[in-house]
Amino acid sequence: MALTQQLARVSPQYLAQCRATAEVSADSNPGWDPPSEDTVDLDWAIGGLLWFCQRMRIEGPCVQVLQRSISGDPGGGIEFLDHPEIHDGFGSPPALLAPAAVVEVARGLAALDIDEVLSCLPADHWEAAEACGFRGFNGHPRKYLVEHFELLQSFYLTAGRRGLAVLVWTD
């Protein structure tokens, strides 16, 4: 089973409810079950986009906002979500972007021109896949990268408009 990048939009109240549930649960299960319309599986697209940026030596706000969007911020008081029902123990435990940070990330993603970032993506599909760290990828990865970037951008924009936090983890 492949591990993929997961995101969930949640209210601070929902996080408080999960924390309270974990405190009284015999196995510390927080009862995590956000609505499916507020979750997204980004597969490994954004990781591949970051890999590509590193290989092409693209730096600055582009890389920073992409990394933050899938890594979260340190702290956040969500240790109770490091539970087998949510996180299988591979990679870092879930991380939080508080509502104010979500607005910052949404602005950064909105300002990012994905076509400009991908302007030096090789035309050959094998070379392009290799440049993104996608060995064995079928076809050219440009469409895959653009679709998942737009999904990420839309996800954060919606979370920011609704005043929600975003949880990030690999599962």
Side-chain angles (χ1 to χ4, degrees):
M1 172 168 50
L3 300 174
T4 61
Q5 184 66 54
Q6 307 291 314
L7 303 174
R9 297 181 289 232
V10 295
S11 68
Q13 296 82 5
Y14 183 73
L15 286 174
Q17 175 188 333
C18 288
R19 181 180 290 110
T21 300
E23 288 173 0
V24 298
S25 171
D27 67 351
S28 300
N29 187 337
W32 176 257
D33 190 22
S36 61
E37 64 270 11
D38 284 324
T39 63
V40 68
D41 182 337
L42 292 172
D43 200 28
W44 278 111
I46 306 306
L49 187 55
L50 283 163
W51 179 283
F52 172 72
C53 289
Q54 290 172 336
R55 297 243 356 232
M56 297 295 118
R57 295 191 169 91
I58 298 169
E59 298 177 0
C62 163
V63 172
Q64 294 166 352
V65 74
L66 287 170
Q67 188 63 54
R68 190 177 185 198
S69 75
I70 63 169
S71 298
D73 288 336
I78 59 164
E79 297 79 17
F80 64 93
L81 291 175
D82 190 4
H83 189 276
E85 293 292 320
I86 302 161
H87 175 249
D88 58 16
F90 290 101
S92 300
L96 175 72
L97 283 158
V102 168
V103 171
E104 290 174 16
V105 170
R107 282 189 198 129
L109 291 170
L112 202 155
D113 183 346
I114 192 66
D115 291 324
E116 182 179 320
V117 172
L118 295 176
S119 65
C120 55
L121 187 66
D124 177 80
H125 72 276
W126 297 110
E127 290 176 20
E130 180 69 26
C132 298
F134 296 150
R135 287 194 174 95
F137 190 86
N138 291 328
H140 198 284
R142 182 180 183 84
K143 180 180 177 192
Y144 170 78
L145 293 170
V146 169
E147 285 176 357
H148 283 81
F149 171 77
E150 289 172 350
L151 178 62
L152 176 71
Q153 196 177 44
S154 173
F155 189 84
Y156 269 94
L157 180 62
T158 299
R161 284 184 182 153
R162 292 173 52 199
L164 299 175
V166 170
L167 269 290
V168 299
W169 73 101
T170 302
D171 194 25

